């Protein structure tokens, strides 16, 4: 028998996510405007900010340059440009945007997990979003992470809605969100391939594959056409993604990229990175195999993505560390289990992770996977509980009595 407080929450399904949004909003507000000593424009963030300023003043789309280029995908820069076209061009404006987007991520996460399990597990996943330290830390950086993680969660929530209630609008929404997510962080590209395979081999939904792909194509077309006309090049994603590949090519960071050799061979960073990897597997197979499996996984997930200047209470950080490693531990069981169960999220997660192993491993790039792990753990817990419950039911005989 359910307790009265739980019955109240279950009778009002939007109440708990709303409370979790308030909690997430408050924690991010507290960090950004009270305790943070993190520079909002540190590293890549400063280059993104200068890029948006240039777009506003000179109408030139160029990352790290005063000339037009396609070095980064347009998902985040155009989003920031649209915000600053309306509001004053100050860091605090986007801090508020990040606080709202980061807190709002609670809603699609709760929606997805609740739709595949129970509201209680959806609330648990939403609580993870609210309190997990890296998801708060990224709020005070002018980087793609906050927007991307919101789009990542929104994609899976809208995917579940599309699969449950296929319609023109649900197809367009999910395909558009996926396209925007890929154009914000190209590491999500493998999810498009997984989505296509799932739609192709699912009888109830294979008919929506064509409109799905047409929507994705329509979303990518302006970016591809712009690059073709302005830059005279065919660039589907970004033209400067090779550095992450090359920097992650050397096992356990024991060597640095040999740019002198790369220039002498007249190769791009991507071409030279592929050359280094193939040569490495040929000459030192076991070392490269260990690096592109356990090694990169270790560097990606060994610690949370937070700064040493993060001024949260120690007890809170200890709780965050415990949550981080507990989620990793439970995912070691949850991911293989859901792969066996042919779960879409599990296959999408695995495809993204394998693709990420090609590039430089950092805790920053591991943070979106931590959110997906939390969602997978909650989903797997419910699936396992239902399976065990069904297995424990004894078959009944002709008279209705259990068979022993």
């Amino acid at each position: 028998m359910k307790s009265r407080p739980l019955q109240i929450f279950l009778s009002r399904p939007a109440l708990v996510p709303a409370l979790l949004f308030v909690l997430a909003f408050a924690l991010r507000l507290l960090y950004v405007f009270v305790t943070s000593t993190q520079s909002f424009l540190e590293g890549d963030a400063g280059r993104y900010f200068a890029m948006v300023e240039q777009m506003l003043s000179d109408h030139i789309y160029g990352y790290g340059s005063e000339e037009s280029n396609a070095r980064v995908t347009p998902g985040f820069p155009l989003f920031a440009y649209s915000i600053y076209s309306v509001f004053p061009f100050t860091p605090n404006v986007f801090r508020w945007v990040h606080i709202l987007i980061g807190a709002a991520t609670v809603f699609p996460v709760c929606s997805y997990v609740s739709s595949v399990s129970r509201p209680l597990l959806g609330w648990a996943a939403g609580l993870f979003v609210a309190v997990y330290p890296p998801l708060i830390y990224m709020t005070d950086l002018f980087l793609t992470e906050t927007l991307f993680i919101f789009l990542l969660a929104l994609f899976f929530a809208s995917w579940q809605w599309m699969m449950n209630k296929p319609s023109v609008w649900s197809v367009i929404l999910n395909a558009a969100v996926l396209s925007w997510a890929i154009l914000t962080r190209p590491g999500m590209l493998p999810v498009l391939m997984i989505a296509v395979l799932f739609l192709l081999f699912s009888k109830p939904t294979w008919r929506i594959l064509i409109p799905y792909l047409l929507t994705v194509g329509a979303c990518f077309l302006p970016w591809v056409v712009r690059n073709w006309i302005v830059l005279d090049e065919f660039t589907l994603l970004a033209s400067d993604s090779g550095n992450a590949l090359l920097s992650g090519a050397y096992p356990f960071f024991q060597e640095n990229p040999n740019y002198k050799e790369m220039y002498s061979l007249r190769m791009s960073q991507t071409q030279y990175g592929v050359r280094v990897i193939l040569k490495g597997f040929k000459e030192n197979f076991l070392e490269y195999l260990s690096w592109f499996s356990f090694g990169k996984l270790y560097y990606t997930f060994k610690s949370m993505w937070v700064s040493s200047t993060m001024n949260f209470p120690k007890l809170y950080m200890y709780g965050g560390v415990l949550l981080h490693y507990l989620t990793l531990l439970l995912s070691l069981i949850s991911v293989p289990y859901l792969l066996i169960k042919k779960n879409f999220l599990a296959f999408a997660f695995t495809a993204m992770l394998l693709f990420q192993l090609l590039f430089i491993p950092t805790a920053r790039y591991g943070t979106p996977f931590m959110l997906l792990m939390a969602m997978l753990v909650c989903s797997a817990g419910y699936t396992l509980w239902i399976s065990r419950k069904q297995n424990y039911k004894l078959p009944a005989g002709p008279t209705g009595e259990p068979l022993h």
Side-chain angles (χ1 to χ4, degrees):
M1 187 174 181
K2 297 183 178 67
S3 64
R4 182 174 177 79
L6 184 58
Q7 286 179 331
I8 294 174
F9 286 133
L10 290 174
S11 64
R12 300 176 182 178
L15 180 58
V16 175
L19 293 175
L20 290 172
F21 169 81
V22 172
L23 174 63
F25 183 89
L27 289 174
R28 284 155 178 77
L29 185 69
L30 176 66
Y31 172 65
V32 170
F33 290 113
V34 179
T35 67
S36 174
T37 58
Q38 177 69 42
S39 172
F40 188 65
L41 302 179
E42 181 179 279
D44 290 344
R47 285 182 281 274
Y48 272 118
F49 200 73
M51 175 186 182
V52 175
E53 183 179 23
Q54 181 174 261
M55 291 168 66
L56 290 166
S57 60
D58 302 328
H59 306 290
I60 295 175
Y61 184 98
Y63 179 81
S65 172
E66 295 181 357
E67 298 181 356
S68 296
N69 60 45
R71 293 181 60 189
V72 294
T73 47
F76 178 72
L78 290 184
F79 174 71
Y81 173 81
S82 66
I83 297 296
Y84 281 127
S85 296
V86 178
F87 299 100
F89 188 71
T90 64
N92 276 352
V93 165
F94 219 82
R95 284 189 172 102
W96 280 106
V97 171
H98 269 180
I99 289 170
L100 288 169
I101 294 175
T105 306
V106 163
F107 294 118
V109 169
C110 285
S111 174
Y112 172 80
V113 177
S114 297
S115 67
V116 298
S117 59
R118 293 287 177 87
L120 189 62
L121 290 168
W123 302 341
L127 182 61
F128 180 92
V129 174
V131 304
Y132 183 55
L135 298 180
I136 300 172
Y137 167 71
M138 67 177 62
T139 310
D140 200 26
L141 287 167
F142 192 72
L143 294 173
T144 62
E145 270 69 27
T146 299
L147 175 62
F148 172 69
I149 286 179
F150 173 75
L151 294 173
L152 183 67
L154 184 60
F155 166 75
F156 288 106
S158 60
W159 172 271
Q160 201 61 31
W161 177 50
M162 181 185 72
M163 297 301 283
N164 291 337
K165 297 179 180 179
S167 67
V168 173
W169 294 114
S170 64
V171 170
I172 292 175
L173 173 63
N174 185 254
V177 170
L178 177 58
S179 302
W180 189 6
I182 295 172
L183 289 171
T184 302
R185 181 64 67 78
M188 200 173 172
L189 180 62
V191 177
L192 175 59
M193 304 173 192
I194 299 299
V196 168
L197 291 175
F198 265 74
L199 293 176
L200 185 62
F201 293 105
S202 178
K203 290 183 180 179
T205 57
W206 67 268
R207 291 183 179 85
I208 68 176
L209 178 58
I210 298 301
Y212 194 91
L213 290 176
L214 287 175
T215 303
V216 172
C219 292
F220 272 83
L221 188 62
W223 172 242
V224 175
V225 170
R226 176 264 179 188
N227 294 333
W228 184 264
I229 294 175
V230 176
L231 305 176
D232 194 26
E233 64 182 43
F234 177 78
T235 300
L236 183 63
L237 295 173
S239 59
D240 194 35
S241 59
N243 187 51
L245 176 73
L246 179 58
S247 298
Y250 298 92
F252 305 96
F253 302 112
Q254 294 175 354
E255 296 182 49
N256 294 318
N258 189 341
Y259 291 109
K260 185 176 181 180
E261 182 183 45
M262 183 185 78
Y263 294 137
S264 67
L265 294 172
R266 296 182 180 180
M267 289 184 169
S268 67
Q269 292 181 347
T270 300
Q271 292 171 330
Y272 187 67
V274 172
R275 180 179 185 275
V276 169
I277 294 171
L278 293 177
K279 182 180 178 182
F281 270 100
K282 183 179 180 180
E283 297 178 356
N284 302 288
F285 179 79
L286 292 179
E287 183 182 20
Y288 271 75
L289 179 63
S290 65
W291 171 236
F292 280 87
S293 53
F294 170 78
K296 288 198 174 185
L297 289 173
Y298 172 76
Y299 276 93
T300 302
F301 298 112
K302 68 176 181 176
S303 60
M304 297 188 299
W305 181 43
V306 291
S307 171
S308 58
T309 61
M310 186 173 182
N311 295 324
F312 274 136
K314 286 186 178 180
L315 184 61
Y316 187 90
M317 290 304 299
Y318 291 150
V321 171
L322 179 62
L323 180 61
H324 179 83
Y325 289 113
L326 180 62
T327 303
L328 284 173
L329 180 63
L330 293 176
S331 68
L332 293 177
I333 304 170
S334 302
V335 174
Y337 176 71
L338 289 178
L339 285 174
I340 295 172
K341 292 291 183 178
K342 299 178 181 179
N343 178 275
F344 173 74
L345 175 57
F347 276 92
F349 168 87
T350 304
M352 284 180 63
L353 186 59
L354 291 175
F355 185 65
Q356 185 61 50
L357 291 180
L358 292 173
F359 304 100
I360 186 170
T362 67
R364 173 186 170 185
Y365 296 145
T367 301
F369 293 102
M370 292 302 301
L371 173 62
L372 296 184
M373 286 182 201
M375 295 165 64
L376 285 164
V377 167
C378 293
S379 303
Y382 176 76
T383 306
L384 182 60
W385 179 70
I386 289 296
S387 298
R388 288 176 64 85
K389 189 176 179 180
Q390 291 174 345
N391 291 337
Y392 278 125
K393 287 184 178 179
L394 296 174
T399 60
E401 294 294 328
L403 296 176
H404 297 283

